[in-house]
Amino acid sequence: MTALILLIAVSLLALFSARIVINETQVAASDYRTSQAVETAMAAFDRGLAQFNADGGRIDVALTAPTQAQLDALVASCTTATPVTDAQEIFLPDPTDPTTPRTLGLYYFANTGANDRCGAGGDPASGTIVSVGWSDDCEAQRTVSACLGTVPIFRDGAGPKQPFVTGASVGVTGNASIINRYTDISVWAGDSAAVAGNSFGTYLRPSFTSITDFTPAQLQDNDPANNAQLVSNRNSGFGVDVVLGDVSLANLTDDEFFGLFFLQDKQAMRDLADAGGNRLDPGTFPPANTAGNVTSGLYWVGNAADLDVSATNTGVNGGVFGSLQEPVVIIINGDLSIAGNGELYGVLYVTGELKITGTPTVYGTVVSENGPNTGAGTLNLVYVPFGGYGGLPPPPIVDSGVVIPGSWRDW
């Protein structure tokens, strides 16, 4: 009887131990599969963030959320029977069939509609990134999401508030026109100004009107005869929209002057341009392979005594620099002589002498750190701010994408 009882006890103990081993194995396997799903989701997330950065901190609208049918197919089989987009997926070979790839993770962007919890509202420079990962047996699934944004480059996030700013003097012998329908100051200078051009003029929005009385297209019209009133010209002199001899502006150091407009210092801005392959130091602007056109982004051009942006230098003679949807920020670390009749959308910042000899049109702001600033040509400057009503979006800058702190979710 004693031997029988001991045999039963040993048998129960053996069974209990086996059960514990089975449970521990299941727990370990579950933990392993969960870790696989988390790591795969993180891999997909990193791939999406890299895509966001490579696109200059812009949401690729083509990489949208998969349909429910696509997700159901992925969950059911972990295969690409109903693929989403190869660029969005993380593949591994099927262990039972190496020729068949298995989708173990994917990412997508959401910057419109209910899927965007970040409130980007369709802004391509921000939005929600969602990544989903599975284990190799498709039993475990993990979802990670976060809000994406871009590193700000402007001091207040909106760029300069005036069409033309300089820490030095202004001498205009040509027929420049400055149209500003957004703010009340057209020219802000640290020194004096002289005008000799017969058709020179500055224009503001008509009196007793507001910005919302006009469409963005009307505010950005380059014809001063439309929805604008003359304030300054050669005959009547400078009006209330021209601020001259501002000592607080003239006494700033070059770095302090630069800091009025940009949140990053010059070295950081040069590094950002370098990351996007847009640092020409020294170099000719625009690059020779652009045929006079620069699409968008941040450019740093330096280490040159004089940069002639003209037809003979693949410059603005018919060239287009940026657009209203994707503007440019061009920093010339030296002198700049502009010839030709091209268009520029964004900010043109010159650290040295600015000379206008052609008839370029700028939609945005021209800033000259030093001087003198002269011009026998015809500069058509239409102020368009960054942000605000009908304003310019932030320029796309490679490697400027960041995860917004506090927006991380892994459930």
Side-chain angles (χ1 to χ4, degrees):
M1 182 64 68
T2 301
L4 182 61
I5 293 174
L6 290 175
L7 179 60
I8 294 174
V10 170
S11 299
L12 292 175
L13 182 61
L15 292 174
F16 182 72
S17 299
R19 182 62 181 172
I20 292 177
V21 171
I22 292 173
N23 287 338
E24 290 296 327
T25 302
Q26 290 175 337
V27 169
S30 297
D31 183 66
Y32 174 70
R33 304 303 183 195
T34 301
S35 298
Q36 276 189 326
V38 171
E39 294 300 327
T40 309
M42 289 301 303
F45 184 92
D46 290 342
R47 187 168 181 175
L49 181 58
Q51 179 72 45
F52 183 69
N53 270 312
D55 289 339
R58 285 291 188 274
I59 294 292
D60 187 340
V61 295
L63 304 179
T64 56
T67 64
Q68 189 59 49
Q70 290 172 325
L71 280 176
D72 290 344
L74 290 171
V75 172
S77 60
C78 265
T79 68
T80 55
T82 310
V84 184
T85 302
D86 287 354
Q88 294 174 256
E89 299 179 13
I90 304 296
F91 297 109
L92 284 179
D94 189 329
T96 61
D97 183 5
T99 63
T100 303
R102 305 179 71 182
T103 300
L104 294 184
L106 65 87
Y107 72 90
Y108 59 88
F109 296 118
N111 69 330
T112 58
N115 289 330
D116 180 18
R117 62 180 179 81
C118 303
D123 179 7
S126 59
T128 302
I129 179 175
V130 181
S131 66
V132 185
W134 289 271
S135 60
D136 58 4
D137 61 356
C138 292
E139 293 298 323
Q141 176 182 329
R142 198 72 172 186
T143 300
V144 173
S145 66
C147 297
L148 295 182
T150 55
V151 175
I153 63 171
F154 294 117
R155 169 59 59 183
D156 58 358
K161 299 295 190 295
Q162 302 82 20
F164 187 84
V165 184
T166 178
S169 60
V170 182
V172 181
T173 58
N175 298 315
S177 66
I178 302 176
I179 305 172
N180 179 9
R181 300 185 181 94
Y182 282 90
T183 63
D184 298 326
I185 303 297
S186 297
V187 177
W188 182 24
D191 206 337
S192 60
V195 174
N198 291 327
S199 300
F200 167 81
T202 66
Y203 303 84
L204 293 178
R205 190 177 64 249
S207 301
F208 308 109
T209 62
S210 63
I211 294 176
T212 54
D213 292 336
F214 306 96
T215 65
Q218 290 174 322
L219 294 171
Q220 297 155 11
D221 192 343
N222 64 2
D223 187 350
N226 300 328
N227 305 312
Q229 65 181 26
L230 179 66
V231 179
S232 306
N233 63 9
R234 190 185 69 169
N235 296 326
S236 60
F238 294 113
V240 294
D241 66 329
V242 178
V243 177
L244 301 175
D246 190 332
V247 178
S248 62
L249 191 65
N251 291 338
L252 294 175
T253 66
D254 290 348
D255 289 339
E256 290 172 340
F257 186 89
F258 190 84
L260 287 178
F261 311 101
F262 298 107
L263 185 63
Q264 315 292 331
D265 60 21
K266 290 183 178 179
Q267 182 61 53
M269 295 291 281
R270 184 167 60 182
D271 291 343
L272 281 173
D274 193 18
N278 296 334
R279 175 180 167 182
L280 307 172
D281 195 8
T284 299
F285 187 79
N289 62 352
T290 61
N293 296 322
V294 170
T295 53
S296 60
L298 170 65
Y299 289 82
W300 177 280
V301 188
N303 286 356
D306 184 69
L307 296 173
D308 184 10
V309 184
S310 63
T312 59
N313 204 22
T314 64
V316 300
N317 190 15
V320 179
F321 294 63
S323 64
L324 289 173
Q325 294 73 35
E326 292 193 347
V328 295
V329 174
I330 302 173
I331 301 174
I332 307 294
N333 191 30
D335 300 335
L336 177 65
S337 177
I338 301 181
N341 60 353
E343 296 179 351
L344 185 148
Y345 298 82
V347 173
L348 176 62
Y349 188 100
V350 183
T351 66
E353 178 183 355
L354 175 62
K355 184 183 298 183
I356 308 294
T357 60
T359 58
T361 300
V362 177
Y363 295 88
T365 298
V366 176
V367 181
S368 175
E369 192 173 284
N370 294 291
N373 303 289
T374 60
T378 299
L379 170 65
N380 300 306
L381 178 55
V382 181
Y383 177 62
V384 183
F386 280 83
Y389 182 69
L392 300 169
I397 302 175
V398 174
D399 284 344
S400 65
V402 293
V403 176
I404 304 301
S407 67
W408 182 271
R409 285 186 182 178
D410 55 3
W411 65 89

